[in-house]
Amino acid sequence: MMENASSHDRFILDGFAELGALRPVLFLPFSVMFFVSLSANSLLLYVVVSQRSLHSPMCVLIAGMACVDLSLPLFFVPNMLLSFLSGWRGISLIGCLLQMFVVHLLGAFQSTLLVWMALDRYFAICTPLYYHESMAPPGFLTFVVPLLVRNVLLVAVVTALAGNLSFCVGNVIEHCFCEHMALVELACGSTAVNNLAGLLSVFLIPVADFVFITVSYVVIFSSVLRSGKSGLRALHTCVTHIVVMTVSLIIVLVTFLSYRIRNRLPAAARVFFSTMYLFFPSCFNPIIYGIRTTEIRQHILRTLTGRRSV
């Protein structure tokens, strides 16, 4: 009987198992991406923190994104790389839940930081006279705190619900880290509440953030067109945010739907999209913002060439 089956407290992370003997080949591309993520985000964070001229609200938000992008891969990529080259793939239930909470929480802030950047652009373009007042810590905290509470609360609820399940279907997680749905599908009994919580978290974090960013940029574009003022520089940043957010949203929706339409997408593809949802921004955000933000690009070049800032 299912009720009498004991619940597993240790699991095997077995992402990309279908590749068989070719699985170790994945070590090279993922290790290169990991190195790019660590080095690029560290450089970006160092430049913004060390240069007083880059302590504007937007640059501080970019530094915040670099901090998230630097931290996120550290919680799952080293174990993933090690598993590609060895048989060390085990993780305890407590370790799995902890990894799930941290990884999904940091992943949530990847889109939430883009919301805060969109607010910065809105205040800078649509209400320039009140920009510094709006972006001062007391005023801006009214936008930061609600989203901070939303992210922590939703991820904590999703993780807690997963921790209350009994896992007697198996202990092999078809993933490279403790992804929520990959763990839930091993549970015995009903997982309807977990599926609903996962659905709500997707629509209340990345989808809601995307809608807010889109609406705010429609307002920004309309304001620039109506006023006829030169907003090319500001719009340049807005387009960057939209591109990054669109790519991330497409990946997370493909990942989410893949667990509902399992026969249409190979397991390896599902694991790849789920991993890229977290790993893609960590690798390319610092490159995108470091190159497309003129002030940051100039300081990065000075840092790399050893020249002093004037």
Side-chain angles (χ1 to χ4, degrees):
M1 293 293 290
M2 187 72 71
E3 291 81 359
N4 295 329
S6 60
S7 178
H8 296 290
D9 59 5
R10 292 199 65 82
F11 298 89
I12 304 298
L13 295 170
D14 201 27
F16 300 109
E18 300 87 344
L19 298 181
L22 294 177
R23 193 171 182 269
V25 176
L26 295 175
F27 176 85
L28 181 58
F30 279 106
S31 60
V32 170
M33 292 178 65
F34 186 49
F35 174 78
V36 170
S37 174
L38 293 184
S39 56
N41 282 296
S42 297
L43 177 61
L44 179 57
L45 190 59
Y46 167 77
V47 167
V48 174
V49 171
S50 63
Q51 301 296 326
R52 295 183 63 86
S53 60
L54 296 179
H55 291 180
S56 64
M58 175 55 77
C59 289
V60 170
L61 288 173
I62 291 176
M65 176 170 286
C67 188
V68 169
D69 291 338
L70 177 64
S71 303
L72 180 55
L74 294 175
F75 285 94
F76 74 95
V77 176
N79 288 347
M80 181 176 70
L81 293 177
L82 186 61
S83 73
F84 289 154
L85 298 180
S86 69
W88 191 77
R89 306 178 189 180
I91 189 170
S92 66
L93 176 59
I94 297 300
C96 183
L97 294 173
L98 179 61
Q99 185 186 60
M100 180 190 302
F101 176 79
V102 174
V103 167
H104 286 297
L105 181 62
L106 292 175
F109 278 107
Q110 286 182 326
S111 68
T112 301
L113 276 160
L114 292 176
V115 171
W116 293 332
M117 289 182 183
L119 284 170
D120 175 270
R121 293 300 84 195
Y122 171 80
F123 291 135
I125 298 172
C126 298
T127 59
L129 297 179
Y130 303 98
Y131 172 74
H132 292 290
E133 179 182 347
S134 301
M135 291 301 295
F140 196 63
L141 281 177
T142 60
F143 301 102
V144 171
V145 173
L147 297 183
L148 177 65
V149 172
R150 176 202 66 175
N151 291 356
V152 173
L153 184 61
L154 284 174
V155 175
V157 167
V158 167
T159 305
L161 289 173
N164 286 330
L165 294 172
S166 294
F167 303 98
C168 47
V169 173
N171 71 332
V172 178
I173 300 176
E174 294 183 352
H175 215 296
C176 295
F177 64 92
C178 283
E179 202 274 338
H180 173 247
M181 287 306 301
L183 177 65
V184 168
E185 67 181 3
L186 299 180
C188 46
S190 174
T191 58
V193 175
N194 302 84
N195 290 330
L196 178 60
L199 178 66
L200 288 175
S201 66
V202 168
F203 282 97
L204 291 179
I205 299 181
V207 174
D209 288 351
F210 179 79
V211 171
F212 181 88
I213 291 170
T214 301
V215 171
S216 64
Y217 285 157
V218 167
V219 174
I220 291 171
F221 292 153
S222 300
S223 175
V224 171
L225 292 175
R226 281 198 311 268
S227 64
K229 60 186 176 183
S230 176
L232 292 179
R233 182 181 179 186
L235 296 182
H236 186 265
T237 305
C238 294
V239 171
T240 301
H241 295 170
I242 291 175
V243 170
V244 171
M245 191 64 192
T246 300
V247 172
S248 297
L249 183 64
I250 291 173
I251 294 176
V252 72
L253 289 178
V254 169
T255 302
F256 178 79
L257 292 175
S258 68
Y259 283 99
R260 273 71 184 172
I261 317 173
R262 294 180 62 86
N263 59 329
R264 299 293 180 87
L265 194 66
R270 185 170 64 251
V271 173
F272 174 78
F273 280 114
S274 182
T275 304
M276 283 300 100
Y277 165 61
L278 299 172
F279 209 12
F280 175 82
S282 294
C283 293
F284 293 99
N285 278 345
I287 298 174
I288 292 172
Y289 290 107
I291 293 175
R292 292 179 65 88
T293 306
T294 304
E295 297 89 343
I296 294 178
R297 181 176 68 248
Q298 291 173 347
H299 283 289
I300 287 177
L301 291 175
R302 291 192 185 103
T303 300
L304 292 177
T305 57
R307 288 184 294 165
R308 292 180 176 272
S309 300
V310 180

